[in-house]
Amino acid sequence: GAAALCLLWFGLAAARPTVRDVKTMSEWRKLLKHHAENTGLPVIVDFYSDGCGPCRQIAPHYKRLAEEYKGRAVFAKVDVNLNHAVSSEQQVRSMPTFQMYLFGKKRTQFSGADVNQLTSVVSELVRESKLKNVEVTLDAFKAFYAEVAPDKVDDEKLLQLLVRNGKGGGPGHYALVEALKKKYAGKAPKTQPRAVEESPAAAEKPKPAKAEAASATGPSLHLASVDQLEAELGRRREAEEERRFQEASDDDEDDDVHTFPVYNATSAPAVEQLVIIGAGPAGLSAAIYAARAGLRPVVVAPPVGGQLQGKGVLVENYPGVNGTTGPDIVFDMQKQAAEFGTIFEQDLVLSVDLRSSPMTVRTNQSLIRAHSVILATGADSRWLGVPGEWDFRGSGVSACATCDGFMYTNKAVVVIGGGDTAMEDALVLARTSSAVTVVHRGESFRATKVLADRVLGHAKITVLWNSQVVAFEGSRVKVLPNGLTVELDGEGRVVEEDLAKLRVKELKARLDAAAVDTASVVDKEDLVRLLRAALREGADEAAEEHNVLRRVRVRSGGEERVLEAGGAFVAIGHDPNTNFVKGEVDMHADGYLVTAAGSTRTSVSGVFAAGDVADRVYRQAVTSAGSGAAAALDAERWLSEHGFGAGPGGLQQVEMAAP
């Protein structure tokens, strides 16, 4: 009855979260619409995943930026795994991806954990917002025209002109002022900062249910008709949804998000005892052991990368670890190393000089001198080098199924390779993709039997033996302002699509993506006309363009065949990341570092190698961690033997027991 429709109002949160968690498409559209129409503040959005290492690394920086610009910009985040609708509509293809909106338009987008780029773009948008987010009041407008053109002073017409250029102010008022300056020799009406309106939910004041029922402005619920009750219920549902959005929890404040001690050249010693280059299991294990020895090691590595960092599948072969993913293991290692005194320089090493004394390590931001160095830079993904691979990197072709697999939900995908990495990728993708095809050049897998058996026995996975990828093929698309995409030809012109071939369900899905209401439209021809009109909107405007993978061309048994696929994952191994030390230390022809038998010592005194840079046989996280511990032990002994101390009393002697 009517009583069941009476909803109690709850108090609203006094303060909004620093970073808003956008959980639904409705919340997404309201967020952009509100700040486009009412506040004019820039909206910064972080598309992330909990299983993405770079996402977790940049999260503290993102939150600090949100706190710094609070009141001048709005920061939000979208979990691509929980809010697939928004991430799919925005065609987010790698993580983290940052989108920036101002005055209702997407101004820029980039992927990667680049703190400097993020800071620079936010600063510029805030500056532009402050400059253009102004208001010309009616009184100021009248005063201006009274001075320059008294015959045009008409309250109603002037008010209409102001409203037409933006109700309440904004970039339209700024453009109006600039136009008037040109017309009237630099003279223009006075402006004031635009008054920022709070959201509809924040403006609501909670009222007792009884008082509201008796309100003169709303229906008396016990006397209301069914139509009035339904209208009131809809209004309250919308208000409650808005309230929940405003009260969205800020997950970035969780206790497990830490900011690790950061290297500061001004307060650091002139020469460090030990620098560890690399932050995978080898580098972090070395850091833990070295920190417990009182060496205060500096770990130099960008906040991305590492094979273990990119594994979202459960790690089952690391002793003592059950039901945990790779990024979680790496994160726990970082916390443990930091607790014992490790310092982190989260930057890429540009060059090293290992022949000088002290040795030097140069990054984009610093020059670090050290008595000893541990090289633990791991390995990079190996690529096929076939046509189209580079063109579609990040737009269908990937080397990280854990990072990018969610984007191909309910789509066919291809995995290339026959080792453990390929098996793990195939199994991860089989959870969400409609079909997985593994392309392998041999007659049997190199992978461990357990993983190979799982792949061969999986109903959604097909294997093509003795096959090789010849090319990746696809098309280039343009993303329109309304979210729809159009395909472009080789000269950048829009390719006409035969919309009549689409089913009604497909037509409605695409119109829904463009926020076009189709609830009352049942005729297919009307849907086609609506979609055609939506596709024409903004088709001639400058907009984001990117490639989209459509097909993978494969050669099997001397014949070529085409696999229709939305995504392709290259998992054919890795190359040791040692190019930056070529000419500095001895290495094998394939790039693996040469170490002395039974030791981690390299050809240069005081330089040690740990993990995949020196291991072409095992290449496992657990063996890397073990070699990292060994490298720290070797480095500690070397420093002691050469008389390098941690202070006036010499090198601190701390027992380095096994954890």
Side-chain angles (χ1 to χ4, degrees):
L5 295 173
C6 294
L7 305 176
L8 294 176
W9 288 97
F10 298 92
L12 298 173
R16 298 174 181 173
T18 308
V19 180
R20 302 186 185 187
D21 189 2
V22 180
K23 297 179 178 178
T24 67
M25 180 65 77
S26 175
E27 290 178 2
W28 169 259
R29 288 175 177 160
K30 284 183 179 180
L31 175 72
L32 297 183
K33 184 174 186 292
H34 175 66
H35 292 291
E37 297 178 355
N38 301 323
T39 73
L41 297 179
V43 178
I44 318 300
V45 188
D46 174 14
F47 288 86
Y48 75 101
S49 167
D50 287 334
C52 162
C55 301
R56 299 187 66 167
Q57 292 284 3
I58 202 172
H61 300 283
Y62 188 68
K63 183 165 183 283
R64 281 201 300 271
L65 207 58
E67 291 170 345
E68 178 182 350
Y69 287 99
K70 192 169 187 178
R72 294 180 290 165
V74 177
F75 288 75
K77 59 184 180 178
V78 176
D79 187 333
V80 296
N81 295 308
L82 298 180
N83 193 345
H84 180 69
V86 171
S87 56
S88 178
E89 179 192 77
Q90 295 303 309
Q91 299 198 21
V92 175
R93 297 188 175 277
S94 59
M95 293 173 293
T97 287
F98 295 96
Q99 289 185 350
M100 285 75 174
Y101 294 82
L102 184 61
F103 305 131
K105 295 184 177 180
K106 184 164 67 174
R107 301 298 296 273
T108 188
Q109 172 177 316
F110 68 89
S111 299
D114 190 333
V115 177
N116 292 332
Q117 183 178 6
L118 177 63
T119 303
S120 174
V121 173
V122 171
S123 174
E124 178 60 26
L125 286 180
V126 169
R127 185 200 64 77
E128 184 179 347
S129 172
K130 182 178 180 180
L131 174 68
K132 297 182 178 180
N133 204 27
V134 296
E135 178 184 5
V136 178
T137 64
L138 180 59
D139 289 341
F141 210 28
K142 288 164 58 180
F144 167 73
Y145 270 103
E147 177 186 354
V148 300
D151 58 313
K152 295 184 178 181
V153 178
D154 183 314
D155 287 10
E156 184 176 348
K157 289 184 177 179
L158 291 180
L159 179 59
Q160 289 177 353
L161 182 59
L162 286 177
V163 172
R164 189 162 63 244
N165 282 275
K167 185 178 180 181
H173 282 212
Y174 174 82
L176 176 64
V177 169
E178 293 300 302
L180 291 172
K181 282 182 181 179
K182 293 180 180 179
K183 184 175 182 179
Y184 293 103
K187 293 183 178 181
K190 293 182 179 180
T191 63
Q192 65 183 32
R194 182 183 187 182
V196 176
E197 298 180 21
E198 56 186 352
S199 69
E204 292 280 356
K205 293 185 179 180
K207 306 173 186 177
K210 183 176 180 181
E212 184 176 352
S215 171
T217 60
S220 178
L221 295 184
H222 67 286
L223 298 175
S225 67
V226 173
D227 289 343
Q228 288 177 315
L229 289 174
E230 288 180 347
E232 178 69 7
L233 180 58
R235 184 183 70 81
R236 296 192 182 189
R237 278 176 176 161
E238 183 176 351
E240 176 66 9
E241 183 179 344
E242 182 70 21
R243 181 190 70 81
R244 290 177 180 175
F245 176 44
Q246 297 295 340
E247 294 180 345
S249 61
D250 185 0
D251 293 339
D252 287 340
E253 296 179 357
D254 289 349
D255 293 336
D256 64 348
V257 176
H258 294 263
T259 302
F260 301 116
V262 177
Y263 178 78
N264 186 339
T266 59
S267 60
V271 182
E272 301 288 349
Q273 295 293 326
L274 173 64
V275 167
I276 301 168
I277 304 177
L284 294 173
S285 179
I288 293 168
Y289 270 72
R292 293 185 68 230
L295 299 182
R296 191 182 173 273
V298 178
V299 173
V300 183
V304 295
Q307 295 183 53
L308 189 60
Q309 184 84 291
K311 287 188 181 295
V313 296
L314 297 180
V315 177
E316 300 173 330
N317 57 356
Y318 198 100
V321 173
N322 292 295
T324 304
T325 62
D328 289 332
I329 296 174
V330 172
F331 189 70
D332 288 341
M333 287 180 175
Q334 290 173 321
K335 286 197 297 182
Q336 187 176 358
E339 288 169 0
F340 287 116
T342 298
I343 306 299
F344 291 85
E345 170 68 328
Q346 294 185 325
D347 201 355
L348 184 69
V349 173
L350 299 180
S351 63
V352 297
D353 183 353
L354 305 179
R355 303 286 181 173
S356 61
S357 182
M359 305 172 196
T360 59
V361 177
R362 186 182 298 275
T363 73
N364 285 305
Q365 305 179 50
S366 58
L367 178 67
I368 307 173
R369 293 177 171 83
H371 293 307
S372 60
V373 171
I374 293 177
L375 301 173
T377 47
D380 288 334
S381 298
R382 187 177 298 162
W383 296 94
L384 297 169
V386 300
E389 184 177 49
W390 177 259
D391 296 333
F392 294 102
R393 287 263 294 270
S395 300
V397 177
S398 170
C400 181
T402 301
C403 303
D404 303 332
F406 77 95
M407 295 183 294
Y408 306 100
T409 299
N410 297 324
K411 295 182 180 179
V413 297
V414 174
V415 175
I416 301 98
D420 282 354
T421 301
M423 301 301 100
E424 290 173 348
D425 286 359
L427 292 169
V428 167
L429 294 165
R431 299 174 188 166
T432 55
S433 300
S434 60
V436 180
T437 301
V438 177
V439 177
H440 182 46
R441 63 183 179 180
E443 296 180 347
S444 61
F445 290 135
R446 303 185 310 275
T448 56
K449 187 176 186 303
V450 172
L451 286 174
D453 288 346
R454 288 180 185 174
V455 167
L456 293 172
H458 202 293
K460 291 173 69 175
I461 301 177
T462 302
V463 179
L464 294 183
W465 303 105
N466 301 310
S467 302
Q468 291 180 305
V469 172
V470 176
F472 296 101
E473 301 174 344
S475 58
R476 188 160 185 80
V477 300
K478 180 178 181 179
V479 183
L480 303 181
N482 56 19
L484 291 174
T485 61
V486 291
E487 188 169 332
L488 305 176
D489 62 18
E491 297 182 1
R493 295 189 296 258
V494 175
V495 177
E496 289 296 328
E497 183 180 4
D498 189 355
L499 302 180
K501 291 183 178 181
L502 298 178
R503 294 177 297 175
V504 170
K505 182 179 179 181
E506 294 170 327
L507 290 166
K508 287 195 171 187
R510 292 177 65 177
L511 285 166
D512 182 60
V516 177
D517 185 12
T518 61
S520 60
V521 184
V522 293
D523 187 75
K524 181 178 178 178
E525 291 184 1
D526 291 337
L527 291 171
V528 169
R529 280 194 290 270
L530 282 174
L531 181 54
R532 186 172 289 118
L535 290 171
R536 281 198 296 266
E537 288 183 17
D540 297 328
E541 298 179 13
E544 178 191 350
E545 296 180 11
H546 58 78
N547 295 327
V548 176
L549 181 72
R550 306 289 190 193
R551 300 169 297 277
V552 178
R553 192 172 293 277
V554 176
R555 181 180 293 114
S556 300
E559 295 183 357
E560 287 192 8
R561 59 186 297 185
V562 174
L563 304 177
E564 299 293 332
F569 297 85
V570 181
I572 57 173
H574 302 79
D575 292 315
N577 193 4
T578 55
N579 285 335
F580 74 105
V581 291
K582 274 188 176 178
E584 295 285 338
V585 296
D586 291 348
M587 59 180 66
H588 296 284
D590 55 4
Y592 287 93
L593 300 182
V594 176
T595 56
S599 170
T600 63
R601 288 183 287 113
T602 68
S603 60
V604 178
S605 180
V607 179
F608 308 87
D612 288 2
V613 291
D615 175 17
R616 65 158 62 86
V617 178
Y618 302 108
R619 294 182 300 177
Q620 298 294 307
V622 66
T623 55
S624 292
S627 68
L633 290 166
D634 287 344
E636 191 273 337
R637 292 191 185 100
W638 185 90
L639 289 166
S640 296
E641 291 169 358
H642 288 76
F644 295 113
L651 190 66
Q652 298 181 33
Q653 299 296 319
V654 180
E655 181 184 359
M656 301 179 73

